[in-house]
Amino acid sequence: MTLFEDKLFDEGEGLFEINPSKLQCYLDCPRQYRFRYVDRRPERRAFGPTALGRSVHKALRDFYAMGSTDRTVENLVRALRRSWDGTGYRSAKEAEDAYARAEDMLRRYHAGTDPQRARVVALESKFSHARSSEGVLVTGRVDRIDLDEGQYVIVDYKTGRFGEDRRKIEESLPLTLYAIAVSAVLGRSVSRIAVEHLTSGDRVETWRDRDRQNSDWKKLSVVSKQMRSGTEFPPTPSSLCRWCDYLVACPEGRVSIRVANEAPIEAPLPVEEPL
């Protein structure tokens, strides 16, 4: 049972909507942002890594809804079996291999964390926070909120290299966006964020105090203006291009994946499911 409703809303109308995944998309590649959010080109819904990400998120949601003593590794694996989505794979063998990776990932995660200790107060709660004076509506979905020693802790699940890179975690604007919105909606400062790296089982904590939130909001305001008023959305070629839904429409992206000396990046799990 959670202490919060499944929605944390401070609604606004006629505002430019921004959420952590939308922001991350723009920061990764403005052209991908244009294709997805401006042109509204369809995404590849039947895509193995995306299906795996959704399955793992759903398994963790169901797992943390259990009582603390029931949060055993066996029950986590059962939750994965129930939530598994086998669509988007090229063969049954590929789907089986993906399931094995997902199970191994969650077993390592369980071994590297202490799920029975977590006092969970919210799971996959949607939030909405209006900054009407700036014409912005911040929305999203937080994976989990815990209560630890009297402090609310925003918990965000990650995979791929982002979750292993402390510098990227410390500098992340999308993580700050979570803290700003949750703090505003709850009416109290929520500055502690835990990034749980599902692939390794590691947990990294970062802080976004009031000064940091204010400083980052100035950056976010500039970026949001670029997102809503921009007429040019240049590509940012990188090894992430190999996972892009719009690779066929981007010559620069197709060139980038043929660069032999650039290390590939693991396909990221979605930051959140679409609202």
Side-chain angles (χ1 to χ4, degrees), residues 20 127 141-142 154 156 174-183 271-272:
F127 59 79
R141 186 199 309 265
V142 64
I154 298 168
D156 193 39
L175 289 181
T176 302
L177 200 60
Y178 281 119
I180 289 171
V182 173
S183 295
V271 175
E272 65 199 20

Side-chain angles (χ1 to χ4, degrees), residues 16-18 22-41 222-237 241 244 246 249-253:
F16 177 73
E17 183 178 345
I18 185 171
K22 193 174 184 180
L23 173 62
Q24 189 64 62
C25 181
Y26 183 83
L27 295 174
D28 285 342
C29 179
R31 178 172 289 174
Q32 183 189 50
Y33 168 83
R34 173 196 156 187
F35 286 158
R36 178 170 297 161
Y37 295 105
V38 180
D39 298 346
R40 297 188 180 278
R41 298 192 185 194
V222 172
V223 174
S224 69
K225 289 177 182 177
Q226 294 171 344
M227 292 168 69
R228 59 180 155 175
S229 62
T231 55
E232 295 185 10
F233 297 91
T236 308
C241 292
C244 183
Y246 312 107
C250 182
E252 294 87 349

Side-chain angles (χ1 to χ4, degrees), residues 175-226:
L175 289 181
T176 302
L177 200 60
Y178 281 119
I180 289 171
V182 173
S183 295
V185 173
L186 295 183
R188 59 178 294 175
S189 179
V190 180
S191 58
R192 188 174 163 194
I193 304 172
V195 175
E196 296 191 342
H197 187 230
L198 303 179
T199 307
S200 66
D202 292 338
R203 175 182 168 112
V204 176
E205 292 202 1
T206 183
W207 294 78
R208 299 293 191 275
D209 61 19
R210 186 66 68 185
D211 289 342
R212 172 67 184 275
Q213 290 181 30
N214 291 336
S215 174
D216 277 0
W217 181 256
K218 293 178 182 178
K219 300 176 185 176
L220 288 163
S221 295
V222 172
V223 174
S224 69
K225 289 177 182 177
Q226 294 171 344

Side-chain angles (χ1 to χ4, degrees), residues 72-146:
T72 63
V73 68
E74 292 80 12
N75 280 337
L76 180 55
V77 172
R78 290 190 188 100
L80 177 63
R81 291 195 193 107
R82 289 192 298 268
S83 66
W84 181 249
D85 178 2
T87 62
Y89 298 99
R90 291 171 294 184
S91 66
K93 179 63 166 60
E94 187 176 70
E96 290 173 6
D97 290 345
Y99 177 85
R101 290 197 304 275
E103 181 177 329
D104 182 63
M105 178 191 303
L106 290 182
R107 287 183 181 277
R108 286 201 306 273
Y109 165 79
H110 193 281
T113 56
D114 188 2
Q116 294 184 338
R117 179 180 175 274
R119 184 180 175 189
V120 180
V121 296
L123 287 168
E124 291 198 355
S125 289
K126 295 178 182 179
F127 59 79
S128 177
H129 164 54
R131 292 218 170 187
S132 301
S133 62
E134 300 179 58
V136 174
L137 178 66
V138 181
T139 66
R141 186 199 309 265
V142 64
D143 288 331
R144 206 173 87 221
I145 299 176
D146 291 351

